[in-house]
Amino acid sequence: NNAFVTSPGSAPSRASILTGRMPWANEQAGTHASLFPQKYKTFPLMLQENGYHIGFTCKGWGPGNFIDAGWPHNPAGIEYNSRTLTPPYKGINNNDYSANFDDFLSARKNHQPFFFWFGAKEPHRSYEKNSHKKEGRDLSEAYVPSFMPENDTVRGDILDYATEIEWYDKQLGKVLDKLESIRELDNTLIIITSDNGMPFPMAKGNCYDQGIHVPLTICWKKVIPGNRVVNDMISMVDIAPTILEASETKFTSSMPMTGKSMMKLLKSTKQGIVDSTYSAVFACRERHSSARYNNLGYPMRMVRTSKYLYIRNLHPERWPAGDPQKYDSSGVLGPMHGGYHDIDDGTTINMYCESFDDPIIKPYFIAATAKRDYEELFDIESDPGCMNNLVKNPSFSIVINKLRKLLDSELVRTEDSRVTGNNPEIWETYKRYSEIRIFPNK
């Protein structure tokens, strides 16, 4: 129930999963669409050294550049992407995931152990609008989180999102059926999770709960007791050391992992809180999309406990969702509210920008796009949508000071370059390999 990524965007989050290190300790790999230095060795390579057949389909690590860093293949493994299909809706990837998994299995030798990264694109945007109607879904079925307004536009967008999740579920089912057919299902450690939160305003791209809190389901029938619900605070940096211990694979990198193995927790028969040492998780973000003047990022650091979320916005003078306006190719300033490119384009954000003066929409629009305080504090139990910043409430001064110290200690321990480095702004110098938009200086 309490699993968290280390960053609310795909590339830095996936790099943390692969290296067992926080984004701020992975240099360029800790930001979006940059380089993945080869010195940050990933656990699939260590598995390969241990005799494992390794591979991935669709999205491995990315977006970013690993070729120029000297990698022989994607840091997640060897690519298996040749099989395609005709998807039912626009926005769904044409990758035939299960067929590519079959090709991967066919390539292994003499029943060697294997590691496969099933990197589905779903539910990444874009979505086919009203695809949920073709699936027979009614708007009344949509659950609208408290950080978005309850109207039919949002409900429809959420159900289109759910349509893609259900497509993913079906493809995963085919992969599991294949494992069962070759009698490997019970002896395969299966980890199902996501690289960031839902792609909606104030979620993905933000260190609020809805940007970093992800599902996590793990099974290994021969080893892990099933039918359990666990509430420990789990970080995705714990995935790599867990897999290394489970596979009895030697750690062979010069860059130490900061995560810790979950095997003791997984082998327990307890429900709820299993290990009290899993009491807090940490996350951050630097650059996500190209969304500000000069390709600037929006650096954040945060700590989340079972009750509270504390966030530090290191450059609060910048727009958190990206600059409101951009230039077109001829240098003409675009319309107000035509930017915000740190929010994935979609029905909900478009509705916000078209109806920002609507008194019902306005509070949600401001929460998603307006400049923020340097510090933010949220009581997740009473405010799961992170809409009420408590940082200036004197009743929470003790809590804030405790969380400040906890975050500072972790940033120093894991050598965050924003805190311990010679150049805190080195993040702005890392080359971006994807599109760079043009924005005005002011």
Side-chain angles (χ1 to χ4, degrees), residues 245-394:
E245 181 179 348
S247 60
E248 299 181 350
T249 296
K250 183 180 179 181
F251 177 77
T252 57
S253 173
S254 61
M255 312 304 291
M257 292 183 174
T258 54
K260 57 185 178 181
S261 172
M262 293 185 287
M263 284 308 300
K264 182 178 179 181
L265 183 153
L266 294 177
K267 289 181 177 180
S268 171
T269 58
K270 293 181 179 178
Q271 303 270 3
I273 299 296
V274 177
D275 185 343
S276 61
T277 62
Y278 290 89
S279 58
V281 294
F282 303 86
C284 71
R285 65 152 283 176
E286 288 289 339
R287 183 179 65 225
H288 185 226
S289 175
S290 173
R292 291 167 201 82
Y293 167 73
N294 205 28
N295 195 40
L296 293 173
Y298 191 79
M300 308 172 76
R301 301 291 186 268
M302 57 74 62
V303 57
R304 168 75 150 79
T305 65
S306 61
K307 182 172 175 59
Y308 294 106
L309 171 65
Y310 168 76
I311 299 174
R312 196 172 289 165
N313 300 301
L314 302 181
H315 276 291
E317 76 280 3
R318 299 176 188 170
W319 297 98
D323 291 346
Q325 297 167 276
K326 63 176 181 176
Y327 287 124
D328 64 22
S329 58
S330 62
V332 176
L333 186 63
M336 191 63 181
H337 309 312
Y340 309 125
H341 289 291
D342 263 351
I343 301 174
D344 286 8
D345 186 37
T347 302
T348 299
I349 183 56
N350 291 336
M351 180 266 291
Y352 279 19
C353 292
E354 292 166 2
S355 308
F356 62 88
D357 269 340
D358 183 314
I360 295 176
I361 303 300
K362 192 170 186 176
Y364 301 99
F365 173 74
I366 288 173
T369 63
K371 292 180 180 178
R372 298 167 183 168
D373 292 335
Y374 174 72
E375 292 181 300
E376 297 177 278
L377 176 71
F378 302 97
D379 184 334
I380 296 300
E381 292 180 354
S382 62
D383 179 24
C386 303
M387 295 293 288
N388 181 25
N389 184 9
L390 302 171
V391 78
K392 295 178 181 178
N393 186 329

Side-chain angles (χ1 to χ4, degrees), residues 83-331:
R83 303 291 193 96
T84 61
L85 49 67
T86 301
Y89 304 112
K90 297 176 183 177
I92 290 180
N93 196 272
N94 70 347
N95 186 303
D96 190 337
Y97 303 122
S98 61
N100 285 316
F101 180 56
D102 290 349
D103 288 349
F104 163 80
L105 289 176
S106 296
R108 68 175 179 152
K109 301 174 182 178
N110 301 321
H111 301 286
Q112 71 185 123
F114 61 86
F115 166 78
F116 188 72
W117 175 288
F118 171 26
K121 284 287 185 72
E122 295 74 38
H124 281 77
R125 288 191 185 269
S126 59
Y127 309 141
E128 180 177 320
K129 190 173 182 179
N130 294 325
S131 58
H132 69 275
K133 291 184 178 180
K134 298 177 182 179
E135 292 291 316
R137 296 297 191 193
D138 186 86
L139 292 179
S140 63
E141 297 179 64
Y143 166 75
V144 180
S146 59
F147 60 91
M148 291 191 287
E150 291 198 45
N151 60 34
D152 286 353
T153 298
V154 175
R155 290 189 185 95
D157 204 13
I158 288 173
L159 289 181
D160 292 341
Y161 165 62
T163 297
E164 292 216 354
I165 292 173
E166 290 178 339
W167 173 259
Y168 163 80
D169 286 346
K170 291 175 183 177
Q171 308 317 304
L172 174 63
K174 293 179 180 180
V175 170
L176 298 181
D177 287 344
K178 177 65 175 183
L179 287 174
E180 188 169 34
S181 71
I182 63 172
R183 299 186 178 184
E184 293 280 16
L185 181 61
D186 291 353
N187 194 37
T188 302
L189 171 60
I190 300 166
I191 301 172
I192 305 168
T193 188
S194 180
D195 56 357
N196 50 246
M198 61 194 301
F200 284 77
M202 211 182 160
K204 179 183 176 182
N206 294 270
C207 284
Y208 297 130
D209 232 44
Q210 48 269 21
I212 59 172
H213 195 170
V214 295
L216 177 63
T217 299
I218 302 176
C219 68
W220 187 5
K221 192 171 181 180
K222 284 191 175 181
V223 178
I224 298 173
N227 300 312
R228 297 167 54 223
V229 177
V230 175
N231 294 323
D232 296 71
M233 305 292 292
I234 299 300
S235 170
M236 290 302 114
V237 291
D238 299 331
I239 295 292
T242 300
I243 289 175
L244 293 184
E245 181 179 348
S247 60
E248 299 181 350
T249 296
K250 183 180 179 181
F251 177 77
T252 57
S253 173
S254 61
M255 312 304 291
M257 292 183 174
T258 54
K260 57 185 178 181
S261 172
M262 293 185 287
M263 284 308 300
K264 182 178 179 181
L265 183 153
L266 294 177
K267 289 181 177 180
S268 171
T269 58
K270 293 181 179 178
Q271 303 270 3
I273 299 296
V274 177
D275 185 343
S276 61
T277 62
Y278 290 89
S279 58
V281 294
F282 303 86
C284 71
R285 65 152 283 176
E286 288 289 339
R287 183 179 65 225
H288 185 226
S289 175
S290 173
R292 291 167 201 82
Y293 167 73
N294 205 28
N295 195 40
L296 293 173
Y298 191 79
M300 308 172 76
R301 301 291 186 268
M302 57 74 62
V303 57
R304 168 75 150 79
T305 65
S306 61
K307 182 172 175 59
Y308 294 106
L309 171 65
Y310 168 76
I311 299 174
R312 196 172 289 165
N313 300 301
L314 302 181
H315 276 291
E317 76 280 3
R318 299 176 188 170
W319 297 98
D323 291 346
Q325 297 167 276
K326 63 176 181 176
Y327 287 124
D328 64 22
S329 58
S330 62

